């Protein structure tokens, strides 16, 4: 996976170099920058018309971000947020072993799905669109994605042709 030139001064970024027709739901390494790994948490297959709705994506974002930053590796979480295409999320972790990253993602989803009773950050002061949040939507998506990860053989490598 290498960055290719689009024009003289513009290179295609690494995440555009992955063949999205081959990506299925799962967990992958998107890129590595020094000790920071960007994980691709892919909740939907790309370009098949099945996208997270914004309520679902936003709600899961609030819950996942809060729990993962309160997890044992919380101080090594650089970022968590949704992809604009609404087929997944990016999670950036610094200096976290791969297996621990996978365990943490699963544990976080499990906590959302089965052990949460309040939507975090659901007030005007805390969020830019606080009325568009639903704990039920977050739980449903967390369950769905956790089931996928539990059945998957997670190698963290993108599928190749
Ligand atoms: Zn928000």
């Amino acid at each position: 996976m290498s960055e290719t030139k689009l024009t003289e001064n513009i290179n295609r970024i690494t995440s555009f170099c992955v063949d999205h027709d081959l990506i299925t739901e799962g967990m992958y390494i998107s890129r590595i920058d020094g000790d920071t790994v960007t994980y691709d948490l892919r909740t939907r297959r790309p370009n098949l018309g099945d996208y997270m709705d914004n309520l679902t994506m936003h709600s899961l974002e609030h819950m996942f971000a809060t729990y993962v930053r309160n997890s044992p590796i919380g101080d090594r979480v650089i970022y968590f947020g949704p992809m604009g295409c609404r087929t997944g999320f990016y999670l950036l972790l610094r200096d976290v072993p791969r297996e621990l990253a996978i365990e943490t993602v699963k544990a976080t989803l499990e906590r959302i799905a089965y052990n949460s009773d309040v939507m975090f950050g659901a007030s005007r002061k805390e969020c830019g669109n606080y009325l568009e949040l639903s704990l039920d939507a977050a739980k449903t998506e967390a369950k769905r994605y956790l089931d996928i990860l539990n059945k998957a053989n997670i190698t963290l490598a993108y599928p190749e042709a």
Side-chain angles (χ1 to χ4, degrees):
M1 202 184 337
S2 62
E3 298 183 359
T4 54
K5 276 205 175 315
L6 292 175
T7 67
E8 181 144 13
N9 297 313
I10 302 291
N11 294 326
R12 177 178 284 123
I13 63 175
T14 304
S15 66
F16 293 164
C17 296
V18 180
D19 185 345
H20 282 68
D21 281 337
L22 301 178
I23 298 178
T24 59
E25 295 131 320
M27 178 172 173
Y28 308 99
I29 289 177
S30 171
R31 58 181 294 145
I32 299 172
D33 299 277
D35 56 5
T36 299
V37 176
T38 299
Y39 290 96
D40 173 331
L41 308 186
R42 193 66 62 155
T43 59
R44 305 294 166 106
R45 282 186 67 188
N47 298 306
L48 289 181
D50 176 29
Y51 309 104
M52 291 183 283
D53 61 75
N54 218 69
L55 174 72
T56 294
M57 192 169 68
H58 184 202
S59 302
L60 188 56
E61 179 198 13
H62 274 228
M63 299 304 292
F64 196 104
T66 301
Y67 279 142
V68 80
R69 287 186 185 280
N70 282 278
S71 76
I73 62 158
D75 59 345
R76 287 173 278 165
V77 176
I78 306 301
Y79 173 77
F80 174 78
M83 297 174 183
C85 59
R86 293 187 281 120
T87 65
F89 297 87
Y90 284 119
L91 173 64
L92 277 71
L93 301 177
R94 179 190 286 147
D95 205 18
V96 174
R98 310 287 196 261
E99 279 306 313
L100 182 56
I102 296 169
E103 277 172 35
T104 299
V105 167
K106 288 184 179 179
T108 303
L109 292 169
E110 193 163 323
R111 198 167 175 189
I112 297 165
Y114 301 108
N115 204 9
S116 60
D117 53 15
V118 62
M119 170 56 66
F120 300 119
S123 76
R124 190 182 183 95
K125 297 273 190 202
E126 295 171 290
C127 172
N129 189 3
Y130 79 103
L131 294 177
E132 188 189 61
L133 289 166
S134 157
L135 181 59
D136 282 345
K139 285 183 173 210
T140 299
E141 187 66 18
K143 271 179 210 161
R144 183 187 179 281
Y145 186 44
L146 181 60
D147 285 348
I148 288 164
L149 292 184
N150 280 337
K151 285 178 196 147
N153 173 34
I154 303 171
T155 67
L156 297 176
Y158 282 119
E160 290 188 43

